[in-house]
Amino acid sequence: MTFKELKLNKTILRAIAEKGYDEPTKVQEKTIPLVLINLDVISSAQTGTGKTAAFALPIIQNLLIDQDAKKKKIRALILSPTRELAFQIKEDFQEYAKYTNLRVAVVFGGISMEPQIEQLKKGIEILIATPGRLLDLYKRQEINLDTIKTLVLDEADLMLDMGFIDDIKKVVKICPPKKQILLFSATMPTKVIDLAETILNEPITVEVAQTSSAAKTVTQLLYYVPKQKKMELCLHLLRNTIKGSILIFRRTKFGVDKLEKAIKRNGYKVTSLHGDKSQVARQNALQEFKNKEVNILIATDVASRGIDISNLDAVIQFDMPNVPEIYVHRIGRTGRANNTGNAYAFCSPDENAYVKTIQKLINKAIPVETEHPYLIKEKKVLENQPKKKRKYKKGRKSVASKKKKKRWY
Ligand code: AMP
């Protein structure tokens, strides 16, 4: 199928051609026709499948056709969980709408409200927002959502994980009752389905790939390694194996900072992204990485979810995620749009249980790399089996248990 067959406007086709897209992706092929005829849609497309264009292109087209609609009024609202993703969606909309008169703006927290208010006053048709800042602006009567025709909830699962459920419901109420709602979510846990059932109107479900499946173009490798050797393993792989642009995930902000310092000390160009950094610092880090001024980016999950960094060569999961779907999201950052990619995961013995739930979700065993200097060879450690209780002589027990704790945590 071609974009032309999707009956998209010439101005949109021109912008798409400039982006170098030859044909629509699966999610675009299935979603665009439904959005064009104003149906509600639930889409469980993974990140990297082209889902932003799947809603952006038909929204732009509908706004162009809608001659009666009041100009310079917000007619499409896209809710996004993170500032980075909101900014990226705005950039995508601006590129797809570059040959139209439509105006796009983004509002998110962490920076001054004033420039955002100024922009809203000038009049725009498409607004991308994080829920908190949107409601702050609404409370201050700086924003009017009475003319919304289409509301998009992007990365709905993450928005709910981040505790935005009440904010989302408020936004839905503030918008006019008659509107089109499009819900995109990488995973479909019950809470997302429940939300969809309460706010969407006879939605059509678009399922492109199983949410539990990773792109076939990603080669996965699991490294069993003692916790205290992960840093050395990471440096060993950077020296010998992993080249190109690399995204490293850590569970905590503290972990991100610590790893960044260690990698920097070893002479690598590295930057980082996490929620404690200012918005400007986060934006700069992302830009440096995208412009290839640095080739390693270390990030927490929330800070990096949904961000499109093309041509990523490898993803390293320095910490195993405790939620199996996060593993799938992380490796989905590489091997995008049919490129190949490599995903490395470091598992210390205390994380073995996470590997089991991940393998259950993806329905296959992650291949284990045995050719590295820090491999844990003991079978009982690999399988994380509970150790047999040993009897200690009086007075020695506490020392032994302290040692055990110290080793793994
Ligand atoms: P998304 O899933 O929206 O984050 O998009 C992932 C990447 O795919 C982005 O770099 C898009 O620019 C790119 N993309 C979107 N649609 C297409 C297409 N039809 N052909 C090739 N690349 C695309």
Side-chain angles (χ1 to χ4, degrees):
M1 178 174 264
T2 62
F3 279 109
K4 213 172 173 185
E5 284 171 283
L6 286 170
K7 301 197 171 62
L8 290 173
N9 187 290
K10 268 188 192 158
T11 55
I12 301 173
L13 290 177
R14 193 171 154 204
I16 296 171
E18 280 183 20
K19 290 281 285 178
Y21 303 168
D22 295 328
E23 54 182 30
T25 63
K26 280 276 168 293
V27 66
Q28 292 162 2
E29 210 175 294
K30 291 186 180 180
T31 311
I32 291 173
L34 302 172
V35 182
L36 285 176
I37 54 169
N38 290 308
L39 293 176
D40 282 9
V41 175
I42 303 178
S43 179
S44 65
Q46 274 177 270
T47 175
T49 52
K51 67 186 170 66
T52 314
F55 61 80
L57 302 178
I59 285 177
I60 294 169
Q61 169 117 339
N62 283 350
L63 294 184
L64 291 175
I65 294 167
D66 183 16
Q67 298 294 348
D68 297 336
K70 298 166 200 151
K71 291 217 165 139
K72 290 195 173 187
K73 301 269 181 201
I74 306 169
R75 288 184 274 161
L77 171 64
I78 294 89
L79 282 189
S80 151
T82 66
R83 306 159 188 178
E84 283 79 9
L85 184 56
F87 188 79
Q88 188 176 291
I89 297 171
K90 184 210 81 165
E91 289 198 319
D92 283 351
F93 261 101
Q94 277 178 331
E95 286 188 32
Y96 300 138
K98 69 200 271 195
Y99 297 113
T100 74
N101 294 325
L102 296 169
R103 280 141 298 197
V104 189
V106 62
V107 295
F108 48 70
I111 51 172
S112 161
M113 259 189 200
E114 298 315 315
Q116 297 176 352
I117 293 171
E118 280 310 305
Q119 202 170 8
L120 291 172
K121 276 188 183 144
K122 281 185 200 156
I124 53 153
E125 285 83 22
I126 302 163
L127 179 67
I128 297 96
T130 52
R133 176 55 59 97
L134 181 76
L135 288 171
D136 283 348
L137 288 163
Y138 182 79
K139 271 182 227 146
R140 290 173 173 228
Q141 299 187 330
E142 299 289 357
I143 203 160
N144 182 340
L145 302 179
D146 291 349
T147 46
I148 296 292
K149 293 192 73 189
T150 304
L151 170 66
V152 181
L153 306 177
D154 195 24
E155 304 265 356
D157 50 351
L158 185 58
M159 283 206 276
L160 297 191
D161 285 349
M162 290 170 75
F164 285 135
I165 181 76
D166 292 336
D167 285 355
I168 293 173
K169 286 183 176 165
K170 267 183 220 156
V171 173
V172 171
K173 260 195 186 154
I174 297 166
C175 295
K178 197 171 171 291
K179 60 186 168 297
Q180 177 183 40
I181 303 185
L182 314 173
L183 183 148
F184 286 79
S185 192
T187 58
M188 282 293 165
T190 322
K191 55 186 177 183
V192 173
I193 295 168
D194 287 349
L195 173 74
E197 276 173 2
T198 45
I199 62 170
L200 272 71
N201 179 27
E202 296 180 20
I204 310 287
T205 303
V206 171
E207 211 165 334
V208 176
Q210 290 258 311
T211 50
S212 57
S213 67
K216 289 200 178 75
T217 49
V218 180
T219 306
Q220 301 173 54
L221 275 181
L222 186 61
Y223 287 74
Y224 282 111
V225 55
K227 202 170 197 73
Q228 64 273 33
K229 292 287 177 198
K230 282 192 176 185
M231 199 77 86
E232 284 162 63
L233 173 63
C234 186
L235 291 167
H236 169 80
L237 292 177
L238 291 177
R239 274 185 218 114
N240 303 296
T241 313
I242 312 175
K243 301 278 173 258
S245 55
I246 305 156
L247 178 56
I248 307 179
F249 286 101
R250 290 225 61 177
R251 202 178 302 143
T252 64
K253 300 163 193 171
F254 173 76
V256 168
D257 289 339
K258 196 172 158 201
L259 184 62
E260 184 181 7
K261 277 187 201 137
I263 293 183
K264 222 174 235 168
R265 266 201 309 274
N266 279 272
Y268 292 94
K269 288 184 174 173
V270 55
T271 188
S272 67
L273 207 62
H274 62 63
D276 272 358
K277 298 205 165 202
S278 72
Q279 186 53 32
V280 175
R282 286 161 72 166
Q283 217 59 57
N284 287 346
L286 203 56
Q287 220 46 53
E288 277 177 342
F289 188 63
K290 281 189 174 182
N291 297 344
K292 301 201 185 299
E293 290 160 41
V294 300
N295 70 315
I296 303 170
L297 175 68
I298 311 170
T300 54
D301 290 290
V302 165
S304 64
R305 173 84 175 255
I307 293 167
D308 175 41
I309 304 158
S310 45
N311 302 325
L312 204 58
D313 297 296
V315 164
I316 301 176
Q317 310 210 32
F318 196 97
D319 307 297
M320 292 306 291
N322 54 354
V323 177
E325 282 86 2
I326 292 181
Y327 175 87
V328 179
H329 287 306
R330 287 174 170 185
I331 67 173
R333 314 314 321 260
T334 182
R336 286 183 158 209
N338 289 330
N339 289 320
T340 55
N342 294 297
Y344 305 85
F346 298 172
C347 176
S348 51
D350 57 302
E351 296 171 319
N352 272 0
Y354 304 153
V355 173
K356 282 183 195 156
T357 56
I358 291 165
Q359 297 192 142
K360 213 168 147 194
L361 177 78
I362 63 175
N363 204 17
K364 68 170 202 171
I366 309 167
V368 177
E369 177 57 86
T370 52
E371 297 295 312
H372 70 90
Y374 311 102
L375 179 71
I376 301 174
K377 295 195 179 87
E378 299 151 74
K379 198 166 183 284
K380 70 175 181 194
V381 176
L382 286 180
E383 291 172 1
N384 205 21
Q385 283 173 349
K387 293 170 192 83
K388 274 185 190 164
K389 276 187 186 164
R390 287 168 59 186
K391 281 183 186 161
Y392 295 98
K393 280 184 189 165
K394 234 184 176 184
R396 293 185 61 191
K397 191 176 173 186
S398 58
V399 178
S401 57
K402 257 186 209 163
K403 264 190 187 167
K404 199 170 113 189
K405 262 196 175 160
K406 213 175 169 189
R407 193 184 296 164
W408 304 128
Y409 297 96

